[in-house]
Structures are given as C-alpha cells and as structure tokens.
Amino acid sequence: MATRTSATAFAPASVGNVAVGFDILGHAVAALGDRVRVTRRAEPGVVIRSISGVVKNLPLETEKNTAGMAALALQKSLGLSFGFELEIEKGIPLGSGLGGSAASAVAAVVAAAALVEEPLDRTRLLKFAMQGEAVASGSVHVDNIAPSLFGGLVLTVGIDNPFVKQIPVPESVRCVIVHPHMMLATREARAILKQSVQLSDVIWQQANLAGFLSGCYTSDLPLMRESLMDVVIEPQRQVLIPGFAEVKQGALVAGAIGCSISGAGPTVFAWAEVGDAENVRLEMVAAFRKHGLETDSWVSDIGREGARVVGD
Ligand code: HSE
C-alpha cells in the first residue's frame, strides 16, 4: 500500500472554557484556526522546519513547542521507525484565549496521523495533543483540544481516560468573538485563581452548567440565557481585562444569551441569536475602544467540523 508522505491539517480555534465549565466545556470557532503541514522524514523524532502566520516567535525546539510535542508523543507512542518535519502556520493570535496552542497541537497530530498506516481514533489523537498542550499552559486541560479536534460544543469528562461528548447547539445560535490587542499568558491567568471556592458558588455554578447543557439539548433559549453565567472564575479573572464589565454589559444589552471570558482571556466571547449577533459584536468592540483597546472580532458559526486534513 502506498504510504502518504505529507499532509496538511487545519484545526479551528476554540472558546474554552465556555463560562460555566471551567476546563471541561469548550466550543470550536469556525472563523479562524492553525494549519500544520507534516512531512515524513527518514529518522525518528520531530523537527520543526518553520513557523509562519500571525505568530512567528514560538520555539523551534520540539520539546518546547505544542505542535512538536504532540507529534513527538504520537511518534514515540506508536514506536514509528520514521519521524516528522513540521511547518506550522499560525492563524490564532498568541496569548489570546482562543486555544492557539491547542489548535497547533491538534493540527499536528491530525496531519501526522494521516502518514501512519495504523488507523488512530480521535480519542487517541486527543491524548497525544494533550501532551503538546501541557507545554504551553503548564497544566493538562482539554477544553480547547477536544472542541478543536472534534468540532462543536464539547464536554470532556476525565483526563486519563477522557470521555468526549458533543453537545447539540440550537441552529439559531452564533458566537461573537472579540479579541482585544493585548496578550495574557494562560499561566498568569491560572496563577491568580484561588484554590478554594464557597459552597454556595459551587452550587450556583453546578446549576448553571446543568441548566446550560439542558438548555442546549432542548433548544431552551431562556434557560441558556439564565444559566450561561460563570460565578466562580470570571469574577476572579475579569480584573486582567480592561473594560471587561462594560464589554459584557454591552453584549447583554444588545441581546446576547451570555458573555464571558474566552479561556484564560483576554478575548471575550458572547453567544447570541443570529439576528442579534452583529449588534452584540459592535457593542463589544465599542466598549473595548472606550478603554483604549483596538480589537479583531468575528461573528462565527460554532464550528461543527473539527480538525481535518485539507491537503498534502
Ligand atoms: N480552561 C483553561 C483556562 C484554558 O481557562 O485556564 C486556557 O487556555
């Protein structure tokens, strides 16, 4: 059987956490993503040949690069006699809270898997990508990797043996993504979090997560509106994002179903019905501008398609 010698994969950006599911609930963002071209090389191991696109100053050393580590995890775990060369094209800004490190790791394993004869299911690819993601954030969380790989709104239960569940999203819902031009390191945004939470907040957050997921399954928009609210993490992190309270207020007044920090920030996301989404975007952009921040913004489908091979 002829074996493929190169493949290019695209992996979408992601919002993770989606407010109420810290480290466990994320969704893909169809509007932007990273691409990785993987070429077979004779020697085992992984070499990063180039990094281009909206971020260039990422480490070329395999062990310090999320895509490199993810591909290396695959290569070593399968005991392959050959290795990979990677060309990484970044479409997701660095330190944006849009799952850029996860997307590179996911695109690398999806492209590398296309060069391997043994069929690899997505749960195995998820575990390889998780090893890449750990390089960037210093912790293992799956709420960016799982939606980038699988697509849609994704709940992941478990780390060592992850169960991945794609949650239906009502057809009329779009996400609004507003990325202010500043950088926030995930490590920093995690370091400020308190290690204990009030019981009353745990109960409230549990109700919100359960309500939000139930609302998604049953297309109950009023229930989603009531429950898409993070009462644990967002209150602690919002100080890191200038103007956050006004951005959120603007989104809600313009009709958003909910609005919160995308991942570790500084990107802010909102969910809105298709007829409200553009107004929500404009209000959010205007609120950031009042605080001296220019932005990039998108109204996007909640990318139902996850990472995929797009060429050689
Ligand atoms: N769930 C993680 C966090 C994502 O919010 O810290 C970081 O990209």
Side-chain angles (χ1 to χ4, degrees), residues 71-208:
L72 190 62
L74 181 149
Q75 195 271 333
K76 282 190 171 164
S77 166
L78 301 181
L80 301 176
S81 59
F82 59 92
F84 303 118
E85 251 177 40
L86 270 48
E87 293 160 75
I88 301 166
E89 189 188 331
K90 296 291 297 177
I92 305 171
L94 185 68
S96 60
L98 284 167
S101 55
S104 292
V106 167
V109 295
V110 168
L115 310 191
V116 173
E117 285 190 21
E118 180 184 343
L120 299 167
D121 66 28
R122 285 193 291 191
T123 307
R124 279 187 88 184
L125 297 185
L126 181 80
K127 289 185 180 175
F128 299 137
M130 281 164 69
Q131 294 186 47
E133 170 77 316
V135 175
S137 65
S139 65
V140 182
H141 52 85
V142 282
D143 52 342
N144 291 114
I145 291 170
S148 182
L149 182 59
F150 285 75
L153 175 66
V154 177
L155 175 73
T156 311
V157 177
I159 289 286
D160 295 334
N161 180 27
F163 285 78
V164 175
K165 192 78 190 164
Q166 286 167 293
I167 314 284
V169 175
E171 278 294 326
S172 63
V173 171
R174 300 289 179 275
C175 64
V176 180
I177 306 289
V178 182
H179 170 234
H181 292 173
M182 60 177 275
M183 237 192 80
L184 204 52
T186 299
R187 279 174 203 271
E188 185 193 337
R190 292 183 83 82
I192 66 157
L193 298 177
K194 289 185 287 206
Q195 290 304 305
S196 52
V197 178
Q198 286 283 337
L199 181 60
S200 55
D201 285 342
V202 173
I203 294 165
W204 192 359
Q205 191 89 336
Q206 284 184 150
N208 284 349

Side-chain angles (χ1 to χ4, degrees), residues 3-299:
T3 309
R4 195 169 182 160
T5 56
S6 70
T8 301
F10 170 84
S14 53
V15 168
N17 349 284
V18 182
V20 285
F22 182 61
D23 279 358
I24 58 172
L25 183 68
H27 75 72
V29 177
L32 67 166
D34 287 355
R35 272 169 202 269
V36 177
R37 180 165 193 259
V38 176
T39 308
R40 187 181 161 119
R41 70 197 281 268
E43 307 77 36
V46 172
V47 172
I48 299 171
R49 188 193 285 174
S50 65
I51 300 172
S52 60
V54 299
V55 188
K56 296 180 186 72
N57 56 342
L58 291 172
L60 283 162
E61 298 97 308
T62 301
E63 285 80 6
K64 292 185 182 162
N65 182 293
T66 62
M69 268 308 280
L72 190 62
L74 181 149
Q75 195 271 333
K76 282 190 171 164
S77 166
L78 301 181
L80 301 176
S81 59
F82 59 92
F84 303 118
E85 251 177 40
L86 270 48
E87 293 160 75
I88 301 166
E89 189 188 331
K90 296 291 297 177
I92 305 171
L94 185 68
S96 60
L98 284 167
S101 55
S104 292
V106 167
V109 295
V110 168
L115 310 191
V116 173
E117 285 190 21
E118 180 184 343
L120 299 167
D121 66 28
R122 285 193 291 191
T123 307
R124 279 187 88 184
L125 297 185
L126 181 80
K127 289 185 180 175
F128 299 137
M130 281 164 69
Q131 294 186 47
E133 170 77 316
V135 175
S137 65
S139 65
V140 182
H141 52 85
V142 282
D143 52 342
N144 291 114
I145 291 170
S148 182
L149 182 59
F150 285 75
L153 175 66
V154 177
L155 175 73
T156 311
V157 177
I159 289 286
D160 295 334
N161 180 27
F163 285 78
V164 175
K165 192 78 190 164
Q166 286 167 293
I167 314 284
V169 175
E171 278 294 326
S172 63
V173 171
R174 300 289 179 275
C175 64
V176 180
I177 306 289
V178 182
H179 170 234
H181 292 173
M182 60 177 275
M183 237 192 80
L184 204 52
T186 299
R187 279 174 203 271
E188 185 193 337
R190 292 183 83 82
I192 66 157
L193 298 177
K194 289 185 287 206
Q195 290 304 305
S196 52
V197 178
Q198 286 283 337
L199 181 60
S200 55
D201 285 342
V202 173
I203 294 165
W204 192 359
Q205 191 89 336
Q206 284 184 150
N208 284 349
L209 177 58
F212 181 65
L213 296 181
S214 306
C216 284
Y217 271 107
T218 57
S219 290
D220 185 339
L221 291 168
L223 178 57
M224 290 165 67
R225 214 174 268 282
E226 179 67 23
S227 52
L228 184 52
M229 184 179 19
D230 172 7
V231 299
V232 173
I233 305 296
E234 180 189 301
Q236 299 181 64
R237 280 185 170 167
Q238 60 176 320
V239 294
L240 301 173
I241 305 169
F244 174 79
E246 272 184 64
V247 172
K248 178 172 177 169
Q249 180 66 11
L252 295 177
V253 167
I257 294 164
C259 174
S260 189
I261 302 167
S262 176
T267 293
V268 178
F269 81 97
W271 275 24
E273 287 202 82
V274 63
D276 295 326
E278 180 58 14
N279 278 343
V280 168
R281 184 186 73 80
L282 291 172
E283 289 297 329
M284 293 168 75
V285 167
F288 267 127
R289 189 167 292 140
K290 264 175 69 182
H291 287 266
L293 283 167
E294 290 305 315
T295 53
D296 294 312
S297 59
W298 300 265
V299 171

